[in-house]
């Protein structure tokens, strides 16, 4: 699985959404992505990519796109 | 200055003058914002003849009694923008506060909390033991103070376990496995003061009598929620600390003061045992007779101001707690700003007396 696929599938599973929805999703767009869902998402991403994110990055992680940007920039994950 | 810019200031870096100017500007702005967007707030301020021109510092701004949030639904945003409602703890049958959060206020609460707590924990996240049960965060639309606190602090946890099950029993095996896994590392423990004492400390004592011990000398405990429930057991903060250290070696312990009506702006206890106000908020101790500002060492009713609340008019509140200002900008720990201690809850009669005085003042 490519990193892109991995990332997408975590979003789809965490929030039970289809690909098109996942790709445009922003924090608090749907009830599932609330503060509880957010911490579960972060935990799932950390497991999948074997990383530990900084608190600032967890806070800045405000959308599907923004998340990719953060992972690429601060954790050397290539998409 | 926008809130984003304010957030870039290290939490304990400003001396009196700078902080005073900054808070006055932001809190005046928030007062105007709520006047424009919350009709109930406007009516209350109109009734006291509020005039922004007569405000020379944030201590001149009006404050709402905290219990007003139990009686009224106060919002400065349309209902459809509310993403989260938080409630105060309260015994069954008692009215609870309802605090309405939109995206911005909710996000700013978390950001502020992270800035404050990072000053004590550092930037790295730690294995975390939550001294509570998982069901406390189950209702995702209606957060209790306990649930909100746990969620807010969860961001500091890299790996997390709940130490209690839903029957409030300590998960001895789970705790042991967790501590073994992270042996030799700092571990964060978080819980509410009463829960820590009742369901963690007492259980550790009981286990020790059976020869079962835990080593938490690498632990950092952050706890809050107040001492009221522990007063009946006559446990002082010092004794709380000493006895936890004796039973499991836990020695880095930080109490914090905060309330659901001003989530995010917590007052952390430093290494010297003092509660500290960050640049994002402040406390003003007031005399119960005339609401004049108390001097250092003089006990008074605590007013809290916070730079965060935009979705509800809770930026300036009179609490039902009594406290004492211990000093400003000169705590031996090096943090600037006011430092203080809490004496406890006002008695009901005092609160009533106080509301009467307050009502008289606002009539
Ligand atoms: Zn200090």
């Amino acid at each position: 699985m490519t990193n892109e696929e991995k990332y997408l599938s975590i979003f789809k599973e965490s929030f039970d959404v289809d690909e098109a929805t996942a790709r445009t999703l922003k924090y608090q767009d749907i009830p599932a992505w609330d503060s509880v869902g957010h911490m579960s998402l972060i935990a799932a991403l950390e497991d999948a990519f074997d990383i530990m994110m900084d608190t600032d990055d967890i806070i800045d992680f405000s959308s599907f796109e923004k998340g990719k940007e953060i992972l690429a920039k601060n954790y050397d994950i290539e998409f | 200055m926008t809130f984003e810019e304010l957030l870039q200031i290290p939490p304990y870096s400003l001396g009196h003058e700078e902080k005073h100017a900054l808070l006055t500007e932001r809190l005046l702005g928030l007062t105007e914002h709520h006047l424009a967007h919350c009709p109930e707030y406007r009516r209350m301020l109109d009734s006291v003849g509020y005039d922004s021109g007569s405000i020379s510092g944030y201590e001149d701004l009006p404050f709402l009694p905290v219990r007003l949030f139990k009686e009224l639904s106060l919002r400065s945003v349309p209902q459809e923008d509310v993403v989260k409602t938080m409630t105060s703890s309260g015994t069954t049958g008692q009215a609870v506060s309802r605090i309405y959060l939109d995206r911005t206020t909710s996000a700013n609460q978390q950001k502020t909390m992270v800035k404050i707590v990072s000053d004590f924990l550092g930037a790295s996240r730690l294995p975390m033991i939550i001294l509570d049960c998982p069901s406390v965060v189950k209702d995702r639309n209606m957060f209790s103070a306990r649930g909100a606190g746990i969620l807010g602090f969860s961001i500091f946890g890299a790996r997390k376990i709940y130490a209690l099950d839903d029957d409030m029993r300590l998960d001895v095996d789970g705790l042991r496995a967790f501590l073994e896994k992270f042996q030799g590392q700092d571990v964060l423990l978080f819980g509410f003061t009463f829960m820590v004492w009742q369901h963690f400390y007492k259980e550790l004592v009981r286990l020790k009598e059976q020869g079962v011990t835990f080593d938490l000398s690498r632990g950092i405990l952050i706890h809050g929620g107040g001492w009221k429930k522990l007063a009946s057991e006559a446990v002082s903060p010092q004794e709380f600390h000493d006895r936890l250290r004796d039973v499991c070696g836990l020695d880095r312990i930080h109490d914090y003061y905060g309330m659901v009506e001003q989530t995010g702006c917590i007052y952390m206890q430093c290494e010297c045992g003092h509660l500290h106000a960050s640049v994002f908020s402040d406390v003003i101790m007031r005399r119960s007779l005339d609401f004049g500002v108390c001097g250092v060492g003089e006990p008074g009713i605590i007013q809290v101001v916070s730079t965060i609340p935009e979705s509800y008019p809770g930026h300036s509140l009179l609490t039902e707690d009594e406290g004492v200002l211990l000093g400003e900008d000169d705590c031996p720990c090096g943090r600037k700003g006011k430092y203080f201690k809490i004496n406890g809850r006002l008695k009901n009669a005092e609160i009533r007396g106080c509301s009467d005085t307050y009502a008289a003042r606002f009539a």
Side-chain angles (χ1 to χ4, degrees):
Chain A
M1 218 188 325
T2 65
N3 284 337
E4 173 76 33
E5 285 162 355
K6 232 198 286 189
Y7 184 79
L8 178 64
S9 75
I10 288 171
F11 263 78
K12 283 162 62 181
E13 281 163 31
S14 296
F15 303 135
D16 197 19
V17 291
D18 60 25
E19 178 174 345
T21 312
R23 288 186 179 283
T24 56
L25 209 55
K26 291 191 185 66
Y27 180 50
Q28 281 172 342
D29 267 353
I30 52 169
W33 196 358
D34 61 0
S35 46
V36 182
H38 192 62
M39 293 314 293
S40 314
L41 171 73
I42 298 295
L45 290 168
E46 288 185 329
D47 278 343
F49 293 104
D50 196 23
I51 52 170
M52 162 109 74
M53 293 174 65
D54 290 340
T55 50
D56 285 343
D57 290 327
I58 298 175
I59 283 175
D60 289 343
F61 200 116
S62 53
S63 68
F64 182 90
E65 274 307 312
K66 180 74 184 176
K68 268 170 77 173
E69 217 179 285
I70 289 170
L71 292 189
K73 198 170 131 214
N74 298 346
Y75 303 92
D76 297 326
I77 293 161
E78 287 173 28
F79 287 99
Chain B
M1 182 177 281
T2 64
F3 191 79
E4 281 304 315
E5 289 167 328
L6 187 63
L7 267 180
Q8 300 315 311
I9 303 171
Y12 303 101
S13 63
L14 299 187
H16 175 83
E17 237 163 88
E18 270 180 293
K19 178 173 170 179
H20 190 266
L22 197 79
L23 281 197
T24 298
E25 185 204 321
R26 170 71 181 167
L27 293 168
L28 251 175
L30 282 175
T31 304
E32 293 302 318
H33 164 79
H34 295 302
L35 274 172
H37 295 100
C38 179
E40 294 89 347
Y41 185 73
R42 170 170 283 280
R43 271 198 293 281
M44 286 184 271
L45 262 56
D46 280 349
S47 75
V48 296
Y50 172 73
D51 165 23
S52 62
S54 69
I55 307 292
S56 58
Y58 62 90
E59 58 285 340
D60 300 333
L61 288 169
F63 40 87
L64 303 183
V66 78
R67 60 171 51 196
L68 211 58
F69 289 88
K70 295 180 175 161
E71 290 155 14
L72 300 174
S73 261
L74 297 172
R75 275 187 286 108
S76 300
V77 290
Q79 179 65 49
E80 59 266 29
D81 288 354
V82 172
V83 293
K84 201 194 295 185
T85 306
M86 297 209 297
T87 59
S88 63
S89 56
T91 45
T92 318
Q94 233 180 14
V96 294
S97 293
R98 280 168 194 273
I99 304 298
Y100 302 97
L101 305 178
D102 66 353
R103 279 173 195 250
T104 306
T105 297
S106 168
N108 287 345
Q109 287 182 342
Q110 179 80 64
K111 289 178 188 175
T112 306
M113 211 275 270
V114 165
K115 294 285 180 194
I116 291 172
V117 178
S118 296
D119 197 89
F120 291 82
L121 289 183
S124 62
R125 291 160 59 215
L126 303 171
M128 179 178 185
I129 301 167
I130 299 164
L131 302 175
D132 214 315
C133 58
S135 66
V136 75
V137 291
K138 218 166 48 190
D139 185 350
R140 293 168 66 155
N141 298 316
M142 194 66 90
F143 287 111
S144 64
R146 250 168 71 200
I150 288 166
L151 265 180
F153 273 92
S154 286
I155 195 169
F156 296 102
R159 291 286 178 272
K160 293 179 266 281
I161 55 158
Y162 283 86
L164 307 179
D165 65 21
D166 284 337
D167 295 319
M168 292 298 171
R169 280 188 307 251
L170 187 67
D171 176 5
V172 175
D173 295 336
L175 184 62
R176 180 173 310 289
F178 193 82
L179 288 172
E180 263 165 28
K181 190 170 168 194
F182 297 107
Q183 213 171 17
Q185 296 182 39
D186 283 349
V187 174
L188 173 64
L189 295 100
F190 175 80
F192 281 77
T193 311
F194 178 72
M195 308 293 291
V196 172
W197 186 257
Q198 193 66 26
H199 300 292
F200 185 63
Y201 166 74
K202 284 188 176 174
E203 189 61 11
L204 290 184
V205 171
R206 200 185 63 82
L207 288 165
K208 198 173 187 175
E209 283 163 2
Q210 300 176 358
V212 181
T213 55
F214 289 96
D215 177 13
L216 284 163
S217 53
R218 295 297 300 265
I220 306 166
L221 170 65
I222 297 179
H223 68 98
W227 296 86
K228 197 175 140 204
K229 278 184 163 170
L230 283 182
S232 58
E233 309 210 6
V235 182
S236 69
Q238 187 59 50
E239 196 180 351
F240 182 88
H241 191 135
D242 291 348
R243 286 173 64 174
L244 270 168
R245 190 185 47 219
D246 290 348
V247 76
C248 64
L250 191 59
D251 200 22
R252 284 182 282 173
I253 299 178
H254 300 278
D255 189 3
Y256 74 89
Y257 175 63
M259 62 210 70
V260 80
E261 293 83 358
Q262 285 191 355
T263 299
C265 284
I266 58 171
Y267 300 85
M268 288 282 289
Q269 183 185 37
C270 73
E271 300 74 11
C272 308
H274 303 146
L275 297 168
H276 275 267
S278 71
V279 296
F280 314 114
S281 74
D282 211 5
V283 290
I284 300 169
M285 311 304 174
R286 296 203 176 260
R287 299 186 181 119
S288 55
L289 282 180
D290 58 1
F291 294 106
V293 177
C294 298
V296 172
E298 181 188 354
I301 306 163
I302 303 174
Q303 179 198 350
V304 286
V305 295
S306 165
T307 55
I308 300 175
E310 293 178 19
S311 58
Y312 66 98
H315 59 303
S316 174
L317 301 173
L318 191 68
T319 70
E320 297 178 351
D321 300 316
E322 185 187 275
V324 183
L325 182 64
L326 300 172
E328 186 171 11
D329 295 344
D330 59 0
C331 182
C333 76
R335 292 180 182 85
K336 287 189 177 167
K338 287 181 191 166
Y339 55 99
F340 61 102
K341 66 168 186 170
I342 307 287
N343 284 352
R345 256 310 144 104
L346 295 172
K347 290 178 196 72
N348 257 325
E350 287 174 295
I351 293 168
R352 271 198 303 277
C354 204
S355 327
D356 291 346
T357 317
Y358 189 85
R361 181 168 172 259
F362 270 45

